Amino acid sequence: MHGGENVMVILSSPSGVGKTTITKKLQQKYQSFKISVSHTTRSPRSNEVDGVDYNFVSIKKFEELIKEKKFYEYAKIFENYYGTLKKNVDESIKKNDLLFDIDWQGTKQLSNFKNLRMIKIYLITSNKNDLKNRLIKRNQNSLEEIEKRFNAFDEDIKHWNDYDYIIINENLDICFKQIESIINNFKRKISNFSQIIQ
Ligand code: 5GP
């Protein structure tokens, strides 16, 4: 991937569209990319590791962090808090490009920080019915939670306009290549610009 200044890439999508797979693939291919590890009050799933997938914290701890204004952004999603700590981002961005797997509410809040070099990508499926099957197959949530996530789809996609790019995930490889090329172009632009203003 093209070098230069480090960038922040936000990837949002309704549940089950393939965002986690793409994020992990990007990180594997490009060592420069780190995934921003969010804080959450949700309980860990059986395959999740504290400090790797999320920092799992109590509601009390999360609300303290809100009061102390420690978050760049946070949101309540499916009755749990999720948020991105300022300290973690500020430290990681010095050394790495950063990938954010966050929802539209968090994206809106991060957009208010005008000094962040950020690109916002929204991933969508062309077939809503496939989505439910994928959520069931993924087997990470109870049926009630699957229903909640599926029902959130219509509300979620209303916010497509807050993003720089909309990518339709019909084929994972094509989708991955499109995202790669968007990021490369963005990095090149930032790098050219910073050379000019030096
Ligand atoms: P899950 O519970 O499936 O891991 O995540 C549920 C939703 O929370 C996903 O849409 C994910 O992108 C979003 N999410 C995860 N971390 C954060 C965060 O730090 N901030 C915000 N705003 N959303 C997040």
Side-chain angles (χ1 to χ4, degrees), residues 11-15 19-20 36-40 42 45 48 54 62 71 73-78 80-85 100-107 109 138 140-141 145 149 156:
L11 210 54
S12 298
S13 75
S15 288
K19 178 180 44 178
T20 311
S36 158
V37 182
S38 300
H39 278 54
T40 185
R42 156 164 95 53
R45 296 176 186 138
E48 287 178 328
Y54 282 104
F62 200 102
F71 288 110
E73 63 76 29
Y74 70 91
K76 211 164 199 183
I77 308 164
F78 311 123
N80 292 302
Y81 281 122
Y82 295 81
T84 309
L85 225 51
F100 294 82
D101 170 346
I102 64 174
D103 83 329
W104 61 270
Q105 304 175 74
T107 305
Q109 293 168 48
R138 174 165 100 164
Q140 287 176 340
N141 305 100
E145 272 195 46
R149 279 155 200 266
D156 205 290

Side-chain angles (χ1 to χ4, degrees), residues 50-112:
D50 189 25
V52 176
D53 297 285
Y54 282 104
N55 297 302
F56 295 99
V57 294
S58 65
I59 297 177
K60 185 168 173 277
K61 175 75 188 165
F62 200 102
E63 289 179 340
E64 272 169 27
L65 292 168
I66 296 176
K67 257 199 221 135
E68 294 163 3
K69 302 204 182 323
K70 300 280 189 192
F71 288 110
Y72 265 131
E73 63 76 29
Y74 70 91
K76 211 164 199 183
I77 308 164
F78 311 123
E79 283 133 44
N80 292 302
Y81 281 122
Y82 295 81
T84 309
L85 225 51
K86 285 180 187 165
K87 184 166 149 272
N88 293 356
V89 173
D90 293 345
E91 277 170 15
S92 312
I93 199 72
K94 286 182 199 151
K95 295 173 275 174
N96 295 100
D97 293 310
L98 272 182
L99 276 170
F100 294 82
D101 170 346
I102 64 174
D103 83 329
W104 61 270
Q105 304 175 74
T107 305
K108 246 193 160 84
Q109 293 168 48
L110 272 185
S111 302
N112 293 329

